[in-house]
Amino acid sequence: MADVPAALVKQLREKTGAGFMDCKKALAESGGDLEQAIDYLRKKGLAGAAKKAGREASEGLIGTALVDGGRAGALVEVNCETDFVARTPDFKAFVDEVAGWVARTPQGDATFAAQWGDRLTELIAKLGENMVLRRAVRFAVDGRGLIGEYSHAGGKLGALVELEVTGADPARFAGLAHDLAMHVVASNPSYVRREEVPADVIAREREIYAAQAKETGKPEKVVERIVEGKLEKFYADACLLEQAFAIDSEKTVEEVLKARGAEAGGSVSVRRFARFQLGEAGKAAEGQSA
């Protein structure tokens, strides 16, 4: 077996939960390519299809804000070095100020770092830790609708959801918007609906499910049915509308939306969402309708 760096094996284990030797073999077989190694493990049934975290070790807070009666909202992440500083009143107040400013300001999510850089420098000097204005997302309603927000675990997780409303007063859906943001935090969808899933993602999942099924020695026709069944499960896990609603698991999110819209004499749909988890790698985890 080719020599594989221990750090790379550790990273693959953290992403997949597979054993040390399995991870080492997967990396050797894939020439050290992490994504190919993950696929190798999944095909062998040694790793789940769970969303890969890719977390960075950082502290801080996720801030949320709504303005203009819920017609605009923001989600921001500001990092610091320790949880102790993250819990100080000064740091919390700063994050709240930034979130409010982003929510009120068109293009605020693109310009917030420059706007608040000097204030951040002052806070660094006062609290004695390095800090970073990491990322921000701003939603503003274009037409009839409203934004919902939710933060969890003392500012470690947060989400925004934008609803579109027709034939009814958007204010009637404020509670639903909040509940859906809470659902996004809890259930971590990747897309609003299955039509948004990229073709290459579907092809990759099909390939993995087919390899898993063939490992069982099942006939080709049975393999095809297994693949389709697993793909349906993938949609139910990854697509917001097909997930079981966090507050009422007997219904899907889509069923809840249809029922609530009918009760109000109109209709309501999810346009997009964004979800931040403190320290996660990458930009905003954002889904948007087609």
Side-chain angles (χ1 to χ4, degrees), residues 13-195:
R13 291 191 70 191
E14 290 173 349
K15 286 178 175 291
T16 64
F20 178 86
M21 292 305 297
D22 290 326
C23 287
K24 189 172 182 180
K25 182 178 180 181
L27 286 163
E29 292 286 338
S30 64
D33 185 288
L34 201 60
E35 289 301 313
Q36 288 185 26
I38 291 168
D39 285 356
Y40 175 91
L41 289 170
R42 289 184 62 196
K43 288 175 182 178
K44 296 296 183 183
L46 299 171
K51 296 162 189 171
K52 296 170 285 294
R55 305 294 183 231
E56 297 174 352
S58 57
E59 296 294 340
L61 289 175
I62 307 296
T64 62
L66 293 179
V67 297
D68 192 19
R71 291 186 57 81
L75 188 63
V76 304
E77 179 178 354
V78 183
N79 296 134
C80 58
E81 294 181 47
T82 66
D83 185 58
F84 174 80
V85 163
R87 290 185 281 108
T88 61
D90 285 333
F91 189 83
K92 289 180 178 179
F94 177 77
V95 174
D96 287 343
E97 281 190 76
V98 174
W101 182 87
V102 172
R104 293 190 303 273
T105 308
Q107 302 300 316
D109 48 352
T111 61
F112 79 111
Q115 174 69 27
W116 290 86
D118 289 344
R119 284 282 304 279
L120 186 72
T121 300
E122 294 172 5
L123 193 61
I124 290 171
K126 181 176 182 179
L127 298 181
E129 282 194 5
N130 186 37
M131 299 173 191
V132 178
L133 289 157
R134 183 142 186 270
R135 54 180 174 165
V137 163
R138 179 180 187 267
F139 288 172
V141 173
D142 180 16
R144 290 179 62 80
L146 76 166
I147 313 297
E149 60 81 29
Y150 180 75
S151 61
H152 182 68
K156 305 297 184 185
L157 288 154
L160 290 181
V161 172
E162 180 178 345
L163 301 184
E164 289 183 319
V165 178
T166 57
D169 180 2
R172 294 189 62 175
F173 299 99
L176 177 61
H178 174 271
D179 290 347
L180 286 170
M182 182 170 66
H183 171 94
V184 168
V185 164
S187 300
N188 194 15
S190 298
Y191 313 96
V192 174
R193 52 184 54 81
R194 67 170 62 189
E195 290 79 9

